[in-house]
Amino acid sequence: MADQAYKYQEKVLGDGSAVILNENGVIEAFDASGNPTKTVAPGDPEWKSEAAVFDLSPN
């Protein structure tokens, strides 16, 4: 997969948890207390489902 630049985005979900999309495509998830719960990179199998929050799909 070629390197792709993403626009940094933060989304706070209804339960108070949050997800962050970094410029390198890495998605970080946090619980409502701000504790990290998951990190996925564009090549990870879970990336597609996590990226759906940002209306993204893999190339």
Side-chain angles (χ1 to χ4, degrees), residues 1 8 13 33 44 50-51 55:
M1 176 184 289
Y8 179 88
L13 306 177
S33 298
D44 295 339
E50 296 293 327
D55 293 325

Side-chain angles (χ1 to χ4, degrees), residues 20-49:
I20 295 174
L21 172 66
N22 292 297
E23 291 89 352
N24 62 359
V26 172
I27 298 171
E28 298 173 284
F30 297 87
D31 64 18
S33 298
N35 299 309
T37 58
K38 184 186 289 187
T39 301
V40 293
D44 295 339
E46 293 180 63
W47 189 87
K48 183 178 179 179
S49 63

